[in-house]
Amino acid sequence: MARDPVPAHLKKNLPPLSLYVPEPKFRPGDTVDFTQVPIPTAGETRRPEITDDAQSFTDLAYQLVRVLDEDNQAVGPWNPRLTPDMLRAMLRSMAQVRAFDERMFRAQRQGKTSFYMKCTGEEAVAVSAAYALDYEDMCFPSYRQQGLLIARNWSMVDMMNQIYSNSADRLQGKQLPIMYSVKEAGFFSISGNLTTQYPQAVGWAMASAAKGDTRIAATWCGEGSTAEGDFHSACTFASVYRAPVIFNVVNNQWAISSFSGFAGAESTTFAARAVGYGIAGLRVDGNDALAVYAATAWAAERARTNQGPTLIEHFTYRAEGHSTSDDPGQYRSAGEPTAWPLGDPIARLKAHLIALGEWDEDRHAAQDKELAEMVKAAQKQAEANGVLGHGLHQPLDTLFDGVFEEMPWHLQEQQAQMIAEETASGRPWARK
Amino acid sequence: MTDSTRMNMIQAINSAMDVMMERDPDIVVMGEDVGYFGGVFRATAGLQSKYGKTRVFDTPITECGIIGVAVGMGAYGLRPVPEIQFADYIYPALDQLVSEAARLRYRSAGEFTAPITVRSPFGGGIFGGQTHSQSPEGIFTHISGVKTVIPSTPYDAKGLLIAAIEDNDPTIFFEPKRIYNGPFDGHWDKPTQNWSQHPAGEVPTGYYKIELGKAKVVRPGEALTILAYGTMVHVALAVIAEAGVDAEVIDLRTLVPLDIETIAASVEKTGRCMIIHEATRTSGFGAELSAQVQERCFYHLEAPIERVTGFDTPYPHSLEWAYFPGPVRIGEALKKIMKDA
């Protein structure tokens, strides 16, 4: 075929295209001003009936479910009307998560383990969900939902044993710190890869539905990892089979150094991902423990009554680094965490309880002190089982356990080889 | 030769991209955290401010998307250098790498090609657990249409990366992250060296390249041939020095296409061959090397070929040094292969 030698754009005299690359509003050294972030008034977002068709409330994907108002009152149709005891329990769990995080972050800095990840500023996302779900519901978390385990009253010593890869580590030192697995507490094994848990949660939920069970599944990922293909596979399956699952997208604004714009936040919301798949979508103030509770409870009831999946975007802020491996001061303004317009989830729930006359500063300070002591005592107990790098906490040959249910010949051979090597030479660390 | 200076491997890799971006406006660098932040290992530091956001940019967190987009940019005529943050994260990209990038030239009879260089840190030894430690090179050497390159020094890293970028076929460039800052002798409990004391830490600041497909004899010897790449080159050198064995150590540098001539000539000379890699054993690249050596040098062999590898387990966290094919495992294999010498 004959080709026109003149390129079309020259012939048509078109202006040149340009490539758009997102850029966050603030970089190190910049003064932070979040006034352009739209924050709807608490109580103004409507609450659809549990039985409403998902297509009838797509507007909610672009709003923000908020319950706690500027005067620390719980207002509007989403107010879950929790008892003061329940509110105090949630506050306590969130404060416990923060105390745990502070202690374990410091332990990593002291060289007692290789890695840690805090969830500072995001405590409500996991803790409130844990309170709104049934204990038997299955959680498929990402690596920042330690609040689920704390709120489900799982042993901190057990969590720390895993962080230290020590002799009492239920995962036998095999997995990176904080990548917990606690089947007993409905907590699926965390993967270091991103959003792989999303379709798995759908599969669990489909199985529960197929078996006529009553349990539902819930899963979490960050806004950044909604870009992964697994996120979209999960949404498609959940939509097709109306799986009893809750998708939580924790929009904490930062994926290591990439702001949410690199996941599409400049063009739409993450809750709006639900709209295209025809599933229910809610956008929630993730620093409002009551809003997270109400949205989760609403989604759980829909799922449990065969009305299918809900995607909840938790609009929050990652107040600290991604992990112990990065310094956020290198890529974002240090002013961001304090300027975040939705405040701190613990401070807000505390203020609400105080406004209700159900809490006071002294009790709060006493509780913080008590929790710090509890965490410290747990740490001491865990460290009695060893810390990473100081001595051999698992017998060497356990390296081969769990690759398969039964060990094939080639692994038996390699295991024998390892023992022979040890016998022949003796590593200095093996004798400690 | 142009001016040279001391560089660690990260700086050498950064310099390779810098030099090439300066020379060729069609080169683009993309990946998770590579833009403003300059990469979680700092390999792309400074490139965005120098070459702009349309040539060095952060991407959404989707490895499949990163490689698919790179293939499309290549189809347009660009020369993308995508980064996959850890080799352990490359699996979601396999469809685009295996079914697309590696097959594009063949299926379009050369109409379209994928001149992309996928950089990715690989290997363990940093307590990264099973998702930040793997050595998946054997998966890629098994795929027709992809080249696989692994440097072991800053000097080689820069020269090989430049050659990979200039190459018109898709190349996987695995960077041994354990030796980013300095060569590693396998003794994890001893202080590590840095590249400033190593001759290959002296790196030209300008353009040069090391042809793909060429191995390097890093230590000539007569007693046996050791085939290694990446981190394990340095561990092997340290072990034979301690053992006082006159081994010929060959750094493969490119796994596919393999420099079989250098390998065969060495094994025919020494009569013994040991293969060392950190990756798991079964169907690892060592199996291919062993087959090649056996097929070509059978009548010269005076002892069975020894493979020293990681075990066939996921990379463990606390027991990572028990997994790692360190001095003990290599030393035992050395005794075995030299038994009747």
Side-chain angles (χ1 to χ4, degrees):
Chain A
M1 201 194 295
R3 289 190 190 178
D4 189 335
V6 184
H9 70 276
L10 293 181
K11 210 164 50 179
K12 291 177 185 165
N13 195 27
L14 294 172
L17 294 164
S18 62
L19 179 66
Y20 177 75
V21 179
E23 183 62 29
K25 294 274 188 297
F26 316 109
R27 287 297 193 188
D30 290 346
T31 304
V32 175
D33 176 8
F34 279 129
T35 48
Q36 89 291 351
V37 178
I39 306 292
T41 309
E44 76 172 22
T45 300
R46 72 190 177 103
R47 182 181 185 276
E49 292 304 313
I50 297 286
T51 51
D52 283 358
D53 188 273
Q55 297 302 324
S56 71
F57 53 85
T58 53
D59 54 311
L60 292 187
Y62 305 94
Q63 298 178 29
L64 202 61
V65 173
R66 302 185 68 217
V67 172
L68 291 171
D69 71 6
E70 309 310 314
D71 302 321
N72 303 312
Q73 299 297 323
V75 297
W78 287 94
N79 180 2
R81 298 175 195 285
L82 302 177
T83 63
D85 279 347
M86 180 70 152
L87 295 174
R88 278 188 291 262
M90 286 166 60
L91 180 68
R92 184 180 172 86
S93 291
M94 289 199 290
Q96 188 180 334
V97 171
R98 191 163 293 180
F100 184 91
D101 276 356
E102 278 167 14
R103 198 89 203 163
M104 289 296 96
F105 189 89
R106 209 178 317 149
Q108 192 276 345
R109 289 290 187 252
Q110 291 165 343
K112 294 173 176 176
T113 189
S114 56
F115 184 73
Y116 192 74
M117 298 178 100
K118 291 172 137 183
C119 66
T120 311
E122 303 171 41
E123 290 88 349
V125 171
V127 167
S128 290
Y131 279 90
L133 294 168
D134 282 355
Y135 188 87
E136 289 73 27
D137 292 334
M138 186 68 187
C139 297
F140 289 79
S142 80
Y143 41 62
R144 222 181 290 280
Q145 279 78 51
Q146 53 267 55
L148 293 170
L149 285 173
I150 299 277
R152 286 185 165 186
N153 269 322
W154 192 251
S155 150
M156 288 193 291
V157 177
D158 189 77
M159 293 168 75
M160 290 170 176
N161 286 336
Q162 196 279 331
I163 290 165
Y164 290 138
S165 277
N166 66 20
S167 60
D169 173 10
R170 59 197 287 109
L171 307 183
Q172 303 163 344
K174 288 179 165 127
Q175 179 60 305
L176 199 66
I178 68 102
M179 306 279 173
Y180 313 107
S181 178
V182 188
K183 191 175 183 182
E184 215 179 313
F187 190 97
F188 189 70
S189 158
I190 298 174
S191 172
N193 298 76
L194 296 178
T195 323
T196 48
Q197 69 276 15
Y198 251 61
Q200 295 160 357
V202 176
W204 195 97
M206 287 170 64
S208 182
K211 285 289 188 186
D213 203 332
T214 59
R215 293 174 294 165
I216 64 168
T219 186
W220 288 259
C221 75
E223 87 286 350
S225 50
T226 59
E228 294 280 15
D230 279 349
F231 174 85
H232 299 275
S233 308
C235 288
T236 303
F237 268 76
S239 169
V240 167
Y241 298 100
R242 299 183 191 176
V245 64
I246 302 173
F247 294 135
N248 296 282
V249 174
V250 185
N251 178 6
N252 66 10
Q253 315 301 322
W254 290 93
I256 310 186
S257 76
S258 301
F259 83 115
S260 58
F262 281 102
E266 291 185 335
S267 307
T268 187
T269 69
F270 294 98
R273 294 282 184 262
V275 176
Y277 291 103
I279 62 185
L282 294 177
R283 193 160 171 272
V284 172
D285 175 351
N287 291 9
D288 178 339
L290 298 186
V292 173
Y293 181 98
T296 307
W298 182 90
E301 197 181 335
R302 275 181 75 90
R304 227 181 289 283
T305 51
N306 279 312
Q307 295 176 84
T310 301
L311 189 157
I312 304 173
E313 173 186 347
H314 301 270
F315 195 62
T316 180
Y317 186 83
R318 196 192 77 203
E320 306 242 0
H322 167 73
S323 73
T324 44
S325 302
D326 66 311
D327 168 15
Q330 298 283 315
Y331 50 77
R332 70 181 189 190
S333 170
E336 283 199 12
T338 43
W340 185 243
L342 292 173
D344 176 81
I346 295 178
R348 286 174 67 190
L349 187 57
K350 172 190 160 195
H352 175 55
L353 270 161
I354 291 174
L356 291 177
E358 294 286 348
W359 196 243
D360 56 56
E361 292 288 354
D362 289 347
R363 286 169 80 181
H364 194 82
Q367 176 170 278
D368 274 348
K369 194 160 172 256
E370 182 207 342
L371 290 170
E373 288 302 320
M374 256 175 65
V375 172
K376 202 173 151 188
Q379 184 185 23
K380 200 174 165 197
Q381 212 180 321
E383 288 181 3
N385 301 316
V387 298
L388 182 69
H390 294 257
L392 186 69
H393 303 308
Q394 286 86 27
L396 273 182
D397 56 355
T398 61
L399 173 62
F400 295 88
D401 293 346
V403 182
F404 297 102
E405 186 175 13
E406 288 178 29
M407 202 184 292
W409 68 265
H410 69 288
L411 286 180
Q412 291 179 23
E413 203 175 273
Q414 290 173 22
Q415 192 180 37
Q417 180 194 343
M418 172 197 264
I419 300 298
E421 285 169 9
E422 285 306 306
T423 314
S425 61
R427 295 170 209 241
W429 54 291
R431 293 195 294 270
K432 279 181 188 165
Chain B
M1 187 57 80
T2 55
D3 292 343
S4 67
T5 186
R6 307 306 299 185
M7 294 188 199
N8 63 29
M9 196 182 282
I10 286 286
Q11 291 163 332
I13 286 163
N14 184 280
S15 173
M17 287 186 276
D18 189 8
V19 164
M20 290 307 290
M21 292 190 82
E22 185 85 53
R23 288 166 68 100
D24 182 352
D26 287 339
I27 293 170
V28 292
V29 167
M30 58 200 275
E32 297 156 13
D33 302 294
V34 307
Y36 182 89
F37 188 42
V40 297
F41 289 102
R42 321 300 299 145
T44 56
L47 295 179
Q48 187 181 67
S49 58
K50 191 164 176 187
Y51 298 104
K53 288 199 299 179
T54 57
R55 293 188 64 197
V56 182
F57 51 89
D58 290 319
T59 63
I61 303 172
T62 161
E63 295 74 17
C64 187
I66 292 168
I67 302 303
V69 163
V71 171
M73 288 182 152
Y76 180 90
L78 300 190
R79 202 168 275 278
V81 187
E83 174 182 299
I84 300 294
Q85 197 164 82
F86 286 88
D88 315 71
Y89 301 169
I90 209 166
Y91 306 119
L94 277 186
D95 197 30
Q96 284 291 344
L97 279 168
V98 177
S99 313
E100 304 302 317
R103 305 291 146 80
L104 197 52
R105 176 188 296 282
Y106 193 81
R107 80 176 189 220
S108 69
E111 268 195 336
F112 294 99
T113 59
I116 66 178
T117 303
V118 182
R119 290 182 40 251
S120 192
F122 89 125
I126 60 160
F127 277 114
Q130 56 187 262
T131 49
H132 305 82
S133 305
Q134 295 166 74
S135 297
E137 67 274 14
I139 292 174
F140 296 96
T141 58
H142 188 61
I143 293 164
S144 53
V146 164
K147 295 180 180 175
T148 303
V149 177
I150 298 175
S152 72
T153 66
Y155 181 87
D156 281 2
K158 180 171 175 180
L160 288 166
L161 182 54
I162 287 174
I165 292 171
E166 288 188 342
D167 195 277
N168 288 326
D169 286 309
T171 302
I172 308 288
F173 191 87
F174 280 134
E175 302 166 1
K177 61 180 173 285
R178 186 63 179 80
I179 57 170
Y180 268 158
N181 294 317
F184 175 58
D185 63 7
H187 293 285
W188 65 275
D189 47 352
K190 290 183 187 162
T192 47
Q193 280 185 282
N194 62 49
W195 284 113
S196 64
Q197 286 122 39
H198 193 284
E202 186 71 22
V203 180
T205 52
Y207 173 93
Y208 68 98
K209 64 176 169 178
I210 295 170
E211 195 184 342
L212 302 186
K214 296 288 178 204
K216 185 183 181 190
V217 177
V218 290
R219 184 197 184 279
E222 300 296 328
L224 81 155
T225 299
I226 294 181
L227 306 179
Y229 47 90
T231 303
M232 299 318 297
V233 171
H234 303 281
V235 183
L237 287 170
V239 172
I240 59 160
E242 282 166 34
V245 175
D246 182 26
E248 181 148 300
V249 178
I250 298 178
D251 176 1
L252 300 181
R253 303 198 294 193
T254 304
L255 275 55
V256 173
L258 184 65
D259 183 358
I260 192 65
E261 285 176 19
T262 299
I263 295 169
S266 176
V267 176
E268 285 169 14
K269 177 179 74 173
T270 64
R272 287 178 166 78
C273 180
M274 178 185 291
I275 298 157
I276 307 177
H277 62 59
E278 189 183 325
T280 48
R281 186 176 187 85
T282 301
S283 300
F285 192 63
E288 174 63 25
L289 290 171
S290 178
Q292 290 281 355
V293 169
Q294 186 273 139
E295 285 162 8
R296 288 158 198 271
C297 311
F298 181 80
Y299 295 104
H300 293 84
L301 288 174
E302 291 163 30
I305 298 165
E306 275 291 320
R307 270 190 295 159
V308 186
T309 69
F311 293 126
D312 285 332
T313 69
Y315 220 107
H317 181 245
S318 67
L319 291 179
E320 79 169 3
W321 296 112
Y323 168 94
F324 188 86
V328 178
R329 200 170 309 156
I330 297 170
E332 290 300 295
L334 204 54
K335 282 184 217 160
K336 204 169 146 195
I337 200 169
M338 297 309 296
K339 185 167 46 129
D340 301 319

